[in-house]
Amino acid sequence: MPETTAILLLAAGSSSRMGPGRDKLLELVDGTPLLSRMIARASATGLPVWVTLPGPDHARAAVLVGTGATPVWVRDAVLGMSASIRAGVAALPDHIEAVMILPADMPDLSRDDLRQVADRRRDFPPDALIRGSSAEGHPGHPVLFPRCYFNDLLQLGGDEGARALLRQHRDRVHLCPLPDQHALTDLDTPEAWEVWR
């Protein structure tokens, strides 16, 4: 029986805050592009993985070769994170009952972190939203959305992602504490990379 929870890695952004000629998702971590690292960790959970990308000709597309992850081309990626979420959710097959969404620039999220969020789904009602948090309880990523929210995700607009949806249903959000700052650390700028390294 196929797994009913999917992981959706958002990797279609422009990486504009890195400056000319640098792509945060192709930055090397222990000799491996960050996007490769995140796909490997997501795949190691045993859950099926979809990855949003700007297009098949983008340099990031080569990273997916041989990984088993399914690419989702986001032709309107310039419209912001919501475009990636819309495209990714629309690509999921009918048997998928929940999707775990996270930006691909969060290098501290481990296989065990992702698996922990996925496994918490069985501890709550079917409409529960499971959100990763820091060890101190500050909400972050990933966020697991059951299928009952898929239509809402398909209506998102702008570059705010699903924040408005999470605010709207805050009473259904259950935090899943992850180690240290794993749920919060993202690397958008050269300065953030320097500090993290």
Side-chain angles (χ1 to χ4, degrees), residues 5-60:
T5 297
I7 294 178
L8 177 61
L9 284 172
L10 304 179
S14 65
S15 193
S16 59
R17 294 175 63 192
M18 289 295 291
R22 290 184 70 177
D23 185 333
K24 63 183 177 182
L25 296 181
L26 298 180
E27 289 279 315
L28 297 183
V29 180
D30 297 329
T32 301
L34 174 58
L35 182 56
S36 295
R37 173 188 177 102
M38 297 308 295
I39 292 172
R41 290 182 172 187
S43 299
T45 63
L47 302 175
V49 179
W50 277 258
V51 183
T52 65
L53 293 164
D57 298 327
H58 196 279
R60 294 174 196 161

Side-chain angles (χ1 to χ4, degrees), residues 1-155:
M1 183 174 176
E3 177 60 61
T4 61
T5 297
I7 294 178
L8 177 61
L9 284 172
L10 304 179
S14 65
S15 193
S16 59
R17 294 175 63 192
M18 289 295 291
R22 290 184 70 177
D23 185 333
K24 63 183 177 182
L25 296 181
L26 298 180
E27 289 279 315
L28 297 183
V29 180
D30 297 329
T32 301
L34 174 58
L35 182 56
S36 295
R37 173 188 177 102
M38 297 308 295
I39 292 172
R41 290 182 172 187
S43 299
T45 63
L47 302 175
V49 179
W50 277 258
V51 183
T52 65
L53 293 164
D57 298 327
H58 196 279
R60 294 174 196 161
V63 171
L64 265 72
V65 175
T67 65
T70 302
V72 180
W73 312 125
V74 186
R75 304 296 183 184
D76 56 351
V78 295
L79 298 180
M81 187 185 297
S82 61
S84 285
I85 294 175
R86 290 196 307 269
V89 171
L92 298 175
D94 291 342
H95 73 272
I96 295 297
E97 291 299 327
V99 61
M100 185 192 309
I101 300 178
L102 64 149
D105 63 347
M106 303 191 70
D108 289 340
L109 285 173
S110 68
R111 170 213 170 271
D112 290 345
D113 295 336
L114 301 180
R115 192 71 240 187
Q116 184 176 342
V117 172
D119 290 345
R120 289 300 300 278
R121 181 180 162 210
R122 59 175 174 252
D123 297 333
F124 296 104
D127 64 349
L129 294 152
I130 314 299
R131 185 171 190 179
S133 76
S134 68
E136 299 80 22
H138 299 292
H141 296 283
V143 183
L144 190 146
F145 296 88
R147 177 168 279 279
C148 60
Y149 299 101
F150 282 16
N151 284 338
D152 295 319
L153 292 170
L154 292 170
Q155 304 303 317

